[in-house]
Amino acid sequence: MERILLDQQKIQIILHRLCCQLIERYGGLERIVLIGLQPRGTFLLDRIIKLLKSKHHIDQVHNGKLDVTFFRDDFRRTEKPIKANQNLMSVVIENRHVILIDDVFFTGRSVRAALTAIESYGRPSTIELMVLVHRRFSRHLPIKPDYIGVQMDALVGDKVKVSWLENDGKDEVYLQKRT
């Protein structure tokens, strides 16, 4: 059973708000590096960059795409072979403000893995977290997002899915109830 939580119009509004929050906090974003977590956080990253450039006239947006597959604490717990994504991190993060970007924040384990993985690229001044959907009450680690598109509550076992036009043919966030 699926229920639509956000449609294309609501997602667009949220993306604009997230961009405005970044600009409000950091101005022209010269010292900022946006890093999308592979695979699904990169779609949100790309949308944020596109809006910053087209609607807010910010020419240079430093960014990267980080795979955390082998930094996760559960990567050996699956029976099928693990397929990692490519790291696209040709950006300097030393003494910069890094904003990790993911589509859904659930337990915090992916973000914990990203914090470990990011050490390989230098020492940023600060690290913050931006998410499209924050699933409250399901955190396993003391990590919380700084920029939140929408907060929602879902039962353990329910899935929050984000569809992106570029990958899935439509922009939509929906809840799959466990059966």
Side-chain angles (χ1 to χ4, degrees), residues 8-9 13 17 23-24 28 30 37 86 91 96 104 115 126-127 167 169 171 173 177:
Q8 181 178 2
Q9 182 180 9
I13 292 168
R17 181 172 41 82
I23 293 167
E24 181 181 331
E30 295 87 9
L37 301 186
Q86 184 179 11
V91 63
R96 295 222 174 153
V104 178
L115 292 170
T126 60
I127 300 175
N167 190 64
D171 287 338
V173 176
K177 300 294 267 176

Side-chain angles (χ1 to χ4, degrees), residues 3-173:
R3 186 179 87 197
I4 295 174
L5 302 171
L6 299 173
D7 61 15
Q8 181 178 2
Q9 182 180 9
K10 288 180 184 174
I11 291 172
Q12 246 345 82
I13 292 168
I14 288 169
L15 295 178
H16 279 283
R17 181 172 41 82
L18 291 171
C19 287
C20 289
Q21 288 174 341
L22 284 176
I23 293 167
E24 181 181 331
R25 183 168 177 129
Y26 292 108
L29 308 184
E30 295 87 9
R31 305 280 312 145
I32 305 302
V33 178
L34 304 178
I35 298 177
L37 301 186
Q38 295 274 22
R40 306 293 294 180
T42 61
F43 297 111
L44 178 55
L45 168 70
D46 291 340
R47 287 291 188 83
I48 293 292
I49 291 170
K50 183 177 176 183
L51 282 173
L52 287 169
K53 288 181 176 183
S54 67
K55 300 292 183 191
H56 300 282
H57 311 292
I58 297 178
D59 299 325
Q60 179 76 344
V61 181
H62 304 286
N63 67 89
K65 296 179 179 179
L66 182 66
D67 182 75
V68 300
T69 301
F70 296 112
F71 293 93
R72 292 184 56 89
D73 60 0
D74 60 354
F75 87 92
R76 294 179 196 255
R77 294 183 178 192
T78 180
E79 292 183 21
K80 45 184 193 174
I82 296 172
K83 184 180 177 201
N85 293 287
Q86 184 179 11
N87 282 322
L88 301 170
M89 291 289 298
S90 60
V91 63
V92 175
I93 66 164
E94 193 72 30
N95 295 320
R96 295 222 174 153
H97 301 287
V98 168
I99 299 172
L100 299 175
I101 298 177
D102 208 359
D103 60 348
V104 178
F105 181 77
F106 184 35
T107 63
R109 293 189 182 280
S110 293
V111 175
R112 191 223 37 92
L115 292 170
T116 302
I118 204 76
E119 291 174 359
S120 303
Y121 296 95
R123 185 176 182 193
S125 295
T126 60
I127 300 175
E128 294 179 312
L129 176 60
M130 175 187 286
V131 297
L132 182 64
V133 179
H134 176 209
R135 287 185 62 167
R136 299 183 311 166
F137 311 126
S138 55
R139 222 175 302 149
H140 293 178
L141 300 167
I143 298 170
K144 65 180 184 122
D146 301 283
Y147 305 93
I148 299 168
V150 65
Q151 291 190 53
M152 63 153 307
D153 303 326
L155 298 174
V156 174
D158 292 350
K159 293 188 187 272
V160 175
K161 297 283 188 175
V162 179
S163 294
W164 294 104
L165 180 65
E166 301 85 350
N167 190 64
D168 308 303
K170 61 183 172 182
D171 287 338
E172 197 171 78
V173 176

